[in-house]
Amino acid sequence: MSKKQWLPRLSSALSRAYCSSSASSSSSSTSFPLKHVTKSNFESALAELRTHVRAADFVAIDLEMTGVISAPWRESFEFDRFDVRYLKVKDSVEKFAVVQFGVCPFRWDSQRQSFIAHPHNFFVFPREELLSGGPSHEFLCQTSSLEFLSKYQFDFNTCIREGISYLSRGQEDEALRRLTLHDKRLSELSNNSEDGEGTPLPNFTDVLFINRMKDKLSKWRSGLLQTTKNDTSQCHDTSTDSKQQFQTVFFKMRPAVSLSGFTSHQLNLTRMVTKQHFNDLVYIRVCGENSWSEQLVVYTDAESDKALLLTEVKNEYHRDAEKKIKAAIGFRHVIDLLSSEKKFIVGHNCFLDIAHVYSKFLGPLPSTAEEFVSSLNKHFPCIVDTKILLNSSHLLQKRMKKASTSLSSAYLLLCRQITLGVDNGSNSGSCPSVKVEVEMDDTRSTDWNSGAKHEAGYDAFMTGCIFAQACQHLGIDFNQHSPSPLNLALNENLEKHINRLYLSWINSNIIDLVTGKQIDPVGSNSRPSKRFSKIVFENVVLIWRFPSKLKAREIKECICKVFGPTSVASVFRVDESAVLVHFSKPEFVSDFLLLKETLEGSNDVISAVHPLSVILDGGKTCAADYETYKDICRSPVSRALLADSADDVVGLGWRRKKTMDLVGEGHRGDEGRTSVDEEEEYESSAKQILHFQPKQERSSTKMAASVIRFYRLFAVLISIFFLFSTLSTTPVSSLQFQVGGSRGWAEPPADGDNYYDQWATNNRFHVGDWLNFVYRGNESDSVLLVNSTAYSNCIVSDPILQLNGGGGNATFQFDRPGLFYFISGKAGSCIAGQKLVVRVMAEKEKDEGAHHDHDYGPSPAPGVNNNSDLVWDWPPAVNSTVKMTIASYFITALAGVLVILYLLM
């Protein structure tokens, strides 16, 4: 059929679907014959399914879940190794629930030359059927998944109210184990004539209750033996509490007392009284329907009758409990059916589905992918993934014209005769299409409208149709294997595609379900990403808690400044809090981690000027090798950000442990060495980590040591510069400053609101220094000395001092240390920025300025709180007052010598 012929047919099919949905009545042929199964019709549907599965050539499955990923960083990434991808799938399976399970057996009918499909749509819900006293089932729901299901009209009410519950094989074994322990406990209690073990000594209230029950049981027992009295067959409680009753009934043809309205403690006391004081009375508990229980005290004729009664009760309880456990298995009967029949299972991108099947119905997922596939192969020996089949076969890729291999796209391209509702057996090009008929309740149909997409039963049907058409295109002759069932696992055209699944929901690693080994993907849709070069996971470092403003490109640039322009192959952003850095060589990993630890352990100028300081963020940033990333993915912790999960997983002592591992490698061979010795040496070892490395590790840290030496040399040169700058300063007693420099005292330009602040910041002022205010073009202006409030609000009405110099000038001498506030005498000029704040240094600051100038600074900018930490420019201006003493010269020189000695350490 040509493209021109196909498009009108598709349009016609869509029109028929729309018209049929709009009509008031529709024939049975217009709706897809999908059998919906809930707990109300599960038993009958299971019986039919057994017949269909046993006769099937293959069974297609599909699942709908409440979610896929528990956190954004749990998504499957290109930087995820084979084992990490499995751990992310394991986390998804353990946290989300299966709510719909599609099963569609396909049987080849050689007479009709078609496949007969039986699609079933099971609603599944993890309801607690066995009340074990523990918490009920818990699972996560991902909002995007629920919205997706709602978009396709998923019936949540049916799922929750009518969904079929289930027990995994592991849960069934645990329930049977608890039943065995219960039987053992009953036997021990029946054989023990003493009072209940572990029963606390009774208090005064308990003594009164025991005596009362002893008296009532004695009277009731005596009444049974006195056949001459007719009113003793029932003994009523004389207590004022009407809810407590003491009534005679018959249990297994024996007279008994039914106890109701008593607390559990009172019932334990009654059991103790019965065992201690009455040899012919037996206390038993009988479980009824809906876990309701009845407490009885039964009269027996002799010891043999007593033993017989206990045996009957125990056996009856055991049978009822086993019956409830078998009934609670629920949907797992379907999985057991597929497993026992060793059927050929077909899915589409189905590793997550298969993992859910194993976890929900067989047992907990193993910790590694190798263990998982080894166990899975015992239950399902033949599984084929249609997505891998389409991607790996060049013939099928050509047939699909290299289009998307999603389920809906593949179904539309390979099964378009079914989609269009035309003759399924008509030829299409060089290869005929396989005819598919659907049967439900003994009624077959070949003409239907498409079912509800993303309904598990219909998706399973589409998956099976894709597989049937793919087999046809691969040249598999279904008649050759007639009669059914077909042995597709031995077909040479299909054999190389069996038991190979994508390890995650993206096309990446392929896992062999027989060997458990990784297989490189093949096919045009499985090419590696061009964004990243081939990833060597031993060369990858995880970094988290870095400044959030940093981009991946900036992180790469910082690291390349230290280790070279080609040291980093790529940087992958996991989320806003973490990145994975792929180094070009494996030795860069240890060098980077070691350098990071060394810089964080240093409190000198190196840490401030080092390029990595941008990433390290004052020691807040964490880094680790790829194995730590694997440990984080293995953990059940799924915080929104990877950094939060990493902090929870690695713990507070993780960084300390990592450094101890580095410095302790050289000592682990020493005899008699203890962890206490290592703890005592930790502090000194961490500071000199480069010198404590064993010989075989020193080569890997050579670059890190060279980098540190370079920055130490840089620090020395800076220190020498500071030293000579200080020594060359000319000492004077006082200085005169012209305010504003050449501009003088005038309104600053429009873009220079901070003009005078900047001028003051570039100078230092001491007691005795003078300010000279030179009026430029406005000799009528004035200068006001004010307080901080008037300075901030430009209040000119009440100054501390008004300076009105002659000839357009005004001068002011500092007579004390502290802050001085000056504003223009014109409020408008002040508001425009013509104001100045000056900080005058104290006498002690002047005396110590020669060797402590870095602790102080020039005048502050306006609005700065003088009580806060101030940051000053360095070096000081050349017109500052610096008084040097012999002691300050000596201390400055000594500081230079210490820096040089530090370089040589």
Side-chain angles (χ1 to χ4, degrees):
M1 181 184 297
S2 66
K3 185 176 180 181
K4 293 182 178 180
Q5 294 173 327
W6 173 62
L7 289 176
R9 284 183 176 273
L10 177 59
S11 176
S12 176
L14 294 175
S15 299
R16 291 200 311 270
Y18 176 79
C19 294
S20 62
S21 61
S22 303
S24 58
S25 62
S26 61
S27 63
S28 60
S29 62
T30 59
S31 60
F32 183 78
L34 177 64
K35 190 175 186 65
H36 295 279
V37 184
T38 62
K39 64 179 182 180
S40 59
N41 65 334
F42 175 67
E43 294 296 332
S44 58
L46 179 61
E48 295 178 2
L49 186 63
R50 290 185 190 277
T51 304
H52 299 320
V53 168
R54 286 167 182 164
D57 299 302
F58 63 89
V59 180
I61 64 171
D62 185 82
L63 280 67
E64 299 295 339
M65 290 82 71
T66 59
V68 178
I69 55 172
S70 56
W73 59 271
R74 291 281 188 182
E75 183 63 83
S76 187
F77 301 127
E78 294 180 61
F79 268 69
D80 289 343
R81 194 171 57 194
F82 177 80
D83 50 349
V84 173
R85 293 184 189 275
Y86 172 76
L87 291 175
K88 289 189 174 182
V89 171
K90 182 175 182 289
D91 175 82
S92 174
V93 168
E94 292 172 345
K95 291 178 179 176
F96 296 101
V98 176
V99 291
Q100 206 173 63
F101 201 114
V103 180
C104 187
F106 281 77
R107 176 179 61 86
W108 176 252
D109 189 333
S110 58
Q111 293 182 350
R112 299 179 62 90
Q113 291 293 293
S114 67
F115 273 107
I116 310 300
H118 303 271
H120 290 69
N121 191 56
F122 293 87
F123 285 92
V124 181
F125 191 75
R127 191 178 298 100
E128 189 73 29
E129 297 289 353
L130 298 178
L131 299 180
S132 59
S136 58
H137 290 293
E138 295 180 354
F139 57 86
L140 297 183
C141 290
Q142 190 176 352
T143 54
S144 58
S145 296
L146 297 186
E147 289 176 351
F148 176 83
L149 293 175
S150 176
K151 176 182 178 181
Y152 292 98
Q153 292 80 45
F154 182 85
D155 193 338
F156 291 97
N157 287 329
T158 300
C159 176
I160 296 173
R161 299 180 61 183
E162 296 294 326
I164 307 162
S165 60
Y166 54 84
L167 285 182
S168 69
R169 292 183 182 178
Q171 291 170 331
E172 180 188 7
D173 294 340
E174 176 62 20
L176 292 174
R177 187 188 66 82
R178 290 199 304 264
L179 178 59
T180 302
L181 291 178
H182 182 270
D183 293 343
K184 183 178 180 181
R185 182 172 175 272
L186 286 179
S187 300
E188 291 175 351
L189 290 176
S190 62
N191 295 330
N192 185 9
S193 60
E194 302 295 332
D195 55 341
E197 183 179 354
T199 303
L201 295 176
N203 53 32
F204 179 74
T205 304
D206 291 342
V207 170
L208 293 179
F209 181 81
I210 289 173
N211 290 333
R212 176 185 170 208
M213 292 303 298
K214 180 180 177 182
D215 181 64
K216 292 174 68 67
L217 290 173
S218 179
K219 289 181 179 180
W220 176 77
R221 176 178 173 278
S222 299
L224 292 176
L225 301 176
Q226 294 177 2
T227 56
T228 57
K229 295 183 179 181
N230 297 327
D231 59 345
T232 59
S233 60
Q234 184 171 348
C235 180
H236 296 280
D237 185 9
T238 59
S239 172
T240 57
D241 188 357
S242 60
K243 293 184 178 179
Q244 294 185 354
Q245 296 182 353
F246 197 80
Q247 186 175 6
T248 299
V249 294
F250 283 90
F251 179 74
K252 295 188 178 297
M253 304 300 294
R254 299 175 179 88
V257 174
S258 175
L259 305 176
S260 61
F262 293 94
T263 66
S264 58
H265 179 64
Q266 291 172 337
L267 291 173
N268 286 333
L269 293 176
T270 303
R271 178 177 59 82
M272 184 177 67
V273 169
T274 303
K275 297 184 69 172
Q276 286 183 346
H277 301 285
F278 301 96
N279 294 330
D280 51 1
L281 299 183
V282 182
Y283 177 90
I284 62 173
R285 184 170 70 96
V286 181
C287 293
E289 296 182 359
N290 299 324
S291 300
W292 174 81
S293 61
E294 183 181 10
Q295 316 292 330
L296 299 172
V297 176
V298 184
Y299 174 81
T300 55
D301 294 332
E303 284 294 328
S304 58
D305 186 38
K306 181 178 179 180
L308 178 62
L309 175 63
L310 291 175
T311 301
E312 291 176 353
V313 171
K314 184 179 74 172
N315 293 339
E316 184 175 341
Y317 174 84
H318 190 91
R319 287 193 300 269
D320 291 343
E322 280 189 333
K323 183 178 179 181
K324 290 181 180 180
I325 293 174
K326 296 299 181 184
I329 291 175
F331 182 76
R332 204 198 80 213
H333 285 297
V334 176
I335 306 302
D336 290 341
L337 172 63
L338 299 177
S339 175
S340 61
E341 295 295 329
K342 297 292 186 287
K343 285 299 175 181
F344 196 96
I345 305 299
V346 178
H348 188 85
N349 204 13
C350 61
F351 185 83
L352 183 62
D353 293 351
I354 297 298
H356 269 290
V357 169
Y358 189 101
S359 175
K360 301 297 188 294
F361 308 110
L362 299 179
L365 283 175
S367 57
T368 65
E370 292 78 8
E371 294 177 290
F372 168 68
V373 299
S374 175
S375 179
L376 177 69
N377 195 254
K378 300 174 183 177
H379 302 285
F380 302 103
C382 295
I383 302 176
V384 67
D385 190 328
T386 54
K387 194 175 186 71
I388 285 187
L389 187 62
L390 297 177
N391 282 334
S392 58
S393 172
H394 297 288
L395 180 63
L396 292 175
Q397 279 290 299
K398 183 178 179 181
R399 177 67 179 86
M400 294 188 62
K401 302 177 182 178
K402 298 183 180 181
S404 169
T405 55
S406 66
L407 182 64
S408 56
S409 297
Y411 181 70
L412 180 63
L413 289 171
L414 293 181
C415 312
R416 60 185 182 183
Q417 283 78 11
I418 301 175
T419 306
L420 299 174
V422 299
D423 184 8
N424 292 10
S426 63
N427 291 349
S428 176
S430 59
C431 186
S433 176
V434 178
K435 184 179 179 181
V436 177
E437 300 180 45
V438 178
E439 181 176 300
M440 186 181 73
D441 297 332
D442 298 328
T443 301
R444 291 190 183 183
S445 176
T446 58
D447 184 16
W448 59 79
N449 289 331
S450 297
K453 187 167 63 173
H454 299 298
E455 199 166 31
Y458 185 71
D459 285 359
F461 168 75
M462 289 197 299
T463 301
C465 290
I466 293 171
F467 176 70
Q469 304 300 331
C471 290
Q472 178 79 355
H473 288 289
L474 290 176
I476 298 176
D477 186 2
F478 303 116
N479 292 315
Q480 182 180 357
H481 302 276
S482 185
S484 290
L486 308 176
N487 196 352
L488 297 173
L490 299 179
N491 188 279
E492 59 182 9
N493 295 334
L494 198 60
E495 187 177 6
K496 60 183 178 181
H497 305 294
I498 297 174
N499 288 328
R500 297 186 177 187
L501 305 180
Y502 286 119
L503 192 54
S504 65
W505 42 89
I506 65 172
N507 296 5
S508 56
N509 307 99
I510 295 177
I511 185 171
D512 190 327
L513 297 184
V514 178
T515 64
K517 296 181 179 180
Q518 177 184 355
I519 303 174
D520 292 331
V522 296
S524 59
N525 285 4
S526 302
R527 295 173 183 172
S529 171
K530 295 181 180 179
R531 181 183 175 188
F532 302 107
S533 58
K534 184 177 181 181
I535 302 171
V536 180
F537 295 101
E538 291 75 11
N539 299 1
V540 176
V541 169
L542 173 68
I543 305 177
W544 71 96
R545 289 280 178 223
F546 53 84
S548 58
K549 63 181 181 180
L550 287 181
K551 299 179 181 179
R553 173 181 52 81
E554 296 171 330
I555 294 175
K556 180 178 180 180
E557 291 174 353
C558 291
I559 299 176
C560 288
K561 288 179 181 179
V562 180
F563 296 98
T566 61
S567 58
V568 178
S570 58
V571 177
F572 177 79
R573 190 106 191 196
V574 179
D575 61 11
E576 62 185 79
S577 69
V579 295
L580 290 168
V581 179
H582 183 206
F583 286 98
S584 58
K585 297 180 181 179
E587 54 265 27
F588 286 144
V589 173
S590 57
D591 289 346
F592 173 80
L593 295 176
L594 185 61
L595 178 60
K596 174 184 176 297
E597 294 292 339
T598 306
L599 290 174
E600 290 178 340
S602 303
N603 293 320
D604 51 21
V605 69
I606 300 175
S607 301
V609 298
H610 198 283
L612 287 184
S613 62
V614 178
I615 302 175
L616 300 183
D617 194 24
K620 298 178 182 178
T621 302
C622 301
D625 57 14
Y626 195 83
E627 292 303 314
T628 302
Y629 175 60
K630 176 182 176 181
D631 293 338
I632 297 170
C633 294
R634 180 188 291 113
S635 168
V637 178
S638 288
R639 306 279 291 275
L641 296 178
L642 185 142
D644 296 331
S645 296
D647 292 343
D648 292 340
V649 172
V650 300
L652 296 177
W654 169 80
R655 191 178 304 175
R656 179 183 180 92
K657 176 180 179 299
K658 284 288 184 183
T659 306
M660 289 186 65
D661 290 342
L662 287 172
V663 302
E665 287 293 335
H667 305 294
R668 289 177 182 171
D670 299 341
E671 295 294 335
R673 190 167 182 82
T674 64
S675 59
V676 177
D677 299 329
E678 295 178 356
E679 286 284 347
E680 292 175 351
E681 295 184 2
Y682 169 73
E683 295 297 336
S684 60
S685 298
K687 293 179 181 179
Q688 304 180 27
I689 191 169
L690 292 176
H691 302 283
F692 275 81
Q693 292 300 305
K695 292 182 178 179
Q696 61 269 25
E697 292 187 1
R698 288 178 183 171
S699 60
S700 67
T701 60
K702 184 177 180 180
M703 178 176 291
S706 301
V707 171
I708 291 180
R709 290 194 184 97
F710 169 77
Y711 283 100
R712 282 178 174 171
L713 177 60
F714 179 76
V716 169
L717 295 177
I718 293 296
S719 300
I720 293 174
F721 173 75
F722 289 165
L723 174 63
F724 281 100
S725 297
T726 304
L727 293 177
S728 63
T729 304
T730 304
V732 294
S733 60
S734 65
L735 289 176
Q736 188 176 47
F737 298 87
Q738 180 174 311
V739 176
S742 60
R743 183 177 183 83
W745 183 246
E747 286 189 15
D751 57 347
D753 293 341
N754 298 323
Y755 177 82
Y756 291 103
D757 304 331
Q758 183 64 37
W759 174 85
T761 303
N762 293 330
N763 296 279
R764 291 175 178 270
F765 305 93
H766 301 91
V767 176
D769 288 348
W770 291 81
L771 292 182
N772 185 18
F773 296 86
V774 179
Y775 305 156
R776 299 293 188 187
N778 191 5
E779 284 71 13
S780 62
D781 199 355
S782 62
V783 182
L784 304 181
L785 176 66
V786 296
N787 56 26
S788 60
T789 302
Y791 172 86
S792 301
N793 298 283
C794 291
I795 301 175
V796 300
S797 60
D798 189 19
I800 299 174
L801 179 66
Q802 182 172 1
L803 305 177
N804 292 317
N809 294 335
T811 58
F812 178 84
Q813 186 178 26
F814 299 119
D815 59 352
R816 61 172 176 82
L819 295 175
F820 292 81
Y821 300 90
F822 302 92
I823 65 175
S824 171
K826 296 181 178 180
S829 298
C830 175
I831 295 174
Q834 189 178 349
K835 56 182 180 178
L836 170 69
V837 57
V838 175
R839 177 180 182 272
V840 179
M841 299 173 64
E843 190 68 24
K844 181 178 179 182
E845 300 178 43
K846 294 166 61 180
D847 293 339
E848 299 179 358
H851 55 278
H852 288 299
D853 275 346
H854 62 281
D855 292 333
Y856 308 100
S859 297
V864 177
N865 187 351
N866 193 41
N867 295 327
S868 63
D869 294 335
L870 300 177
V871 181
W872 313 110
D873 290 342
W874 180 263
V878 294
N879 59 350
S880 297
T881 301
V882 183
K883 294 183 178 180
M884 302 291 293
T885 64
I886 296 176
S888 64
Y889 278 111
F890 173 76
I891 294 175
T892 304
L894 179 61
V897 173
L898 291 177
V899 171
I900 296 175
L901 292 177
Y902 175 74
L903 173 65
L904 300 176
M905 289 177 58

